[in-house]
Amino acid sequence: MTPPDRLTDGPPRKPLRAYADVVTDFSYTDLLPRESGGSETPYRLVTTEGINVVDAGGRSFLSIEPEVLRLLTYEAFHDISHLLRPDHLAQLASILDDPEASPNDRFVALDLLKNANISAGGVLPMCQDTGTAIVMGKRGQNIWTTGQDEEHISRGVFNAYRDLNLRYSQLSPLSMWKERNTGSNLPAQIEIYADTSTGHENTYEFLFIAKGGGSANKSFLFQETTALLKPETFAAFLDEKLRQIGTAACPPYHLAIVVGGTSAEHTLKTAKLASAHYLDDLPIHGTEAGHGYRDLAMEADVLHMTQQFGIGAQFGGKYFCHDVRVIRLPRHGASCPVGIAVSCSADRQALAKITAEGAFLEQLEPDPARFLPDITDDHLDEDDVVRLDLTEPMDRIRATLSTLPVKTRVSLTGPLVVARDLAHARIKEMLDRGEQLPAYLKDHAVYYAGPAKTPEGYASGSFGPTTAGRMDSYVDQFQKAGGSFVMLAKGNRSPVVTTACHENGGFYLGSIGGPAARLAQDNITKVAGLDFPELGVQAAWSIEGGDFPAFVVVDDKGNDFFAETMRPIATSIPVGPPTAT
């Protein structure tokens, strides 16, 4: 007897309909539907030349000459190196009026406002790290250009970094282990997308960003699961991860958190755009269509959470963040990427557009002085500032610091040695060969920094601190060799540094991250090459200064101010399904 065919014999079977309950009719939605498209942005006219409307084949095309792209790019990087958005400045000013702000919050906010006022003069850029040039373009379907747009935009970047007092930061890999500064800040990161939206046919839109290493290094991707999407779990996750951002990227921050995403890279890209407020006009509710949206209630809850950290605007207080953007994206059921990014106190970005009317650039604030309050340094507890004379012997400087508790504000006057990543690496090589530590590291405090170009008539270009954590691995070895006992930079340090300072009698002083132009104009009186001139801006320098502001962060007793702020607190943030409109 022939066995029945299990696939064909028997009663007819109903087709499997595992997805019958989720099948819907076709509908299209942008993944990130910007509802206003930046239409409320104030613009200034850059030029009307080189832009023409051409009729052909029953359509109107916008012809744009290469010089327009070069000029618009140059103007954009000039402006974002010196000017800030008025909303950002208003947020800084509001810190001074907030009775809940700590004295340290107010001190940092006032210093950043003063720095913005100096930078707006167009000579000293607001930050010494003048950043990687990033350009995103959205090109309408009827745009005509000649040649390669990316090349013309790159020429504008080149001209800006050549002609202005900006720093070259890009390193070209000659091999896996050998790099060389390109000497132009190229290559730029340029991404141009087709814009097929109705009504945008004859529009070319741009977002220009100058992204410094400090804030770029605080972009994080976490590959999570559905288990994260519970109120208590999500709250604990954010409490841990947001504290880890620390202060090295110069808060107060514009913080962006993205939950979900169709790919890891899209999640991170969305976080970067959100931190630049590029996605502020997303919908504020989710729908079954699957587009991304802003969760305004979650933004308020996370901002409140950061205010409880105690980190504040770098040295304790409330203002770790100016604001928060939380964006929820669709995701694959097996993935739950989370992206976190910040824009720092050098909040450098601007929108631009080219239309038939001309080339336009976002109008940034040309007069930041109007945000400066009627307040003097007398209102900022100057009596509590401890003044340190850096011409004294190192043992005496250390003895004075040993009497001060962490968080004490100090003012430094006298000589400093400037050395950062590459100089530290060279000095370590010397020690490893059995050579002595250079005397200048034994006799003087060391400032982790690197200058931008020096304008004519100035002792220094913008000269703010760099991230301290990159030098952590050198501290114990250098201190045991008899130097690097007093360090000055920005951001928190690892426990390795706390241990080294405890064992060897060292100190770490936190400098305010952000006011590089103010330091150059008001504090630095002399700069001279000291060692390793072949390293360019990363050479060792000697500088003379007066009234350098700083705070005691790590002392010789094992105390670390930031250690307390890194401990999680119990927090609950409501998380639930999106509300459909």
Side-chain angles (χ1 to χ4, degrees), residues 67-380:
E67 179 58 27
V68 178
L69 297 177
R70 290 195 289 266
L71 177 61
L72 185 62
T73 301
Y74 179 95
E75 290 293 315
F77 282 98
H78 170 276
D79 282 13
I80 63 178
S81 296
H82 293 281
L83 304 176
L84 291 159
R85 286 172 168 163
D87 287 350
H88 176 87
L89 293 164
Q91 288 174 315
L92 283 173
S94 69
I95 295 174
L96 300 173
D97 297 326
D98 185 353
E100 296 181 355
S102 71
N104 290 344
D105 282 336
R106 290 192 289 271
F107 176 74
V108 170
L110 182 60
D111 222 40
L112 291 172
L113 284 170
K114 291 177 179 178
N115 186 72
N117 195 48
I118 293 168
S119 176
V123 178
L124 293 166
M126 68 183 73
C127 180
Q128 80 286 347
D129 183 351
T130 49
T132 296
I134 300 173
V135 183
M136 183 180 74
K138 291 189 174 182
R139 176 174 164 149
Q141 296 180 82
N142 294 349
I143 298 296
W144 276 357
T145 57
T146 303
Q148 188 174 8
D149 292 3
E150 293 87 347
E151 180 179 354
H152 307 320
I153 292 169
S154 292
R155 171 62 74 171
V157 172
F158 175 88
N159 290 349
Y161 280 80
R162 178 196 63 192
D163 298 344
L164 304 172
N165 297 310
L166 309 182
R167 195 171 81 184
Y168 305 141
S169 299
Q170 304 309 306
L171 301 178
S172 176
L174 305 182
S175 69
M176 181 61 75
W177 318 119
K178 188 176 181 181
E179 298 175 311
R180 179 173 297 167
N181 194 298
T182 63
S184 63
N185 214 53
L186 295 177
Q189 178 184 323
I190 302 172
E191 302 171 0
I192 298 177
Y193 301 92
D195 185 350
T196 58
S197 302
T198 301
H200 290 200
E201 294 85 356
N202 284 21
T203 301
Y204 205 160
E205 296 181 337
F206 299 92
L207 172 65
F208 293 96
I209 301 175
K211 194 70 171 175
S215 61
N217 294 344
K218 297 304 179 179
S219 300
F220 299 103
L221 174 71
F222 304 97
Q223 295 283 19
E224 299 299 315
T225 68
T226 304
L228 183 70
L229 302 180
K230 296 180 180 179
E232 295 79 11
T233 306
F234 189 59
F237 171 86
L238 289 181
D239 189 79
E240 175 189 356
K241 303 306 182 185
L242 297 183
R243 289 173 185 273
Q244 291 176 359
I245 295 174
T247 63
C250 308
Y253 297 129
H254 300 284
L255 171 66
I257 301 166
V258 177
V259 179
T262 51
S263 66
E265 62 271 22
H266 188 260
T267 299
L268 277 177
K269 179 67 175 291
T270 303
K272 174 179 281 188
L273 294 176
S275 71
H277 289 191
Y278 184 77
L279 302 176
D280 276 6
D281 53 353
L282 287 181
I284 59 173
H285 299 292
T287 69
E288 293 182 358
H291 59 72
Y293 75 95
R294 280 182 63 189
D295 190 324
L296 301 185
M298 181 65 70
E299 291 176 2
D301 289 334
V302 175
L303 179 61
H304 178 73
M305 171 190 276
T306 65
Q307 292 170 346
Q308 310 309 306
F309 287 168
I311 299 173
Q314 306 188 29
F315 301 103
K318 174 182 176 182
Y319 282 94
F320 185 60
C321 296
H322 282 305
D323 50 42
V324 177
R325 297 293 181 265
V326 177
I327 294 178
R328 187 70 164 86
L329 294 179
R331 65 184 183 92
H332 186 287
S335 304
C336 187
V338 178
I340 296 176
V342 298
S343 183
C344 66
S345 58
D347 188 40
R348 295 172 294 188
Q349 56 263 325
L351 299 172
K353 62 182 179 180
I354 304 174
T355 68
E357 288 71 37
F360 297 88
L361 181 62
E362 181 177 353
Q363 178 64 69
L364 303 179
E365 179 54 60
D367 183 24
R370 70 185 180 90
F371 292 93
L372 283 168
D374 294 326
I375 187 171
T376 68
D377 289 344
D378 294 336
H379 294 87
L380 296 175

Side-chain angles (χ1 to χ4, degrees), residues 396-409:
R396 189 174 300 173
I397 295 172
R398 291 164 66 192
T400 300
L401 287 171
S402 190
T403 66
L404 306 178
V406 293
K407 286 181 64 175
T408 299
R409 186 173 148 210

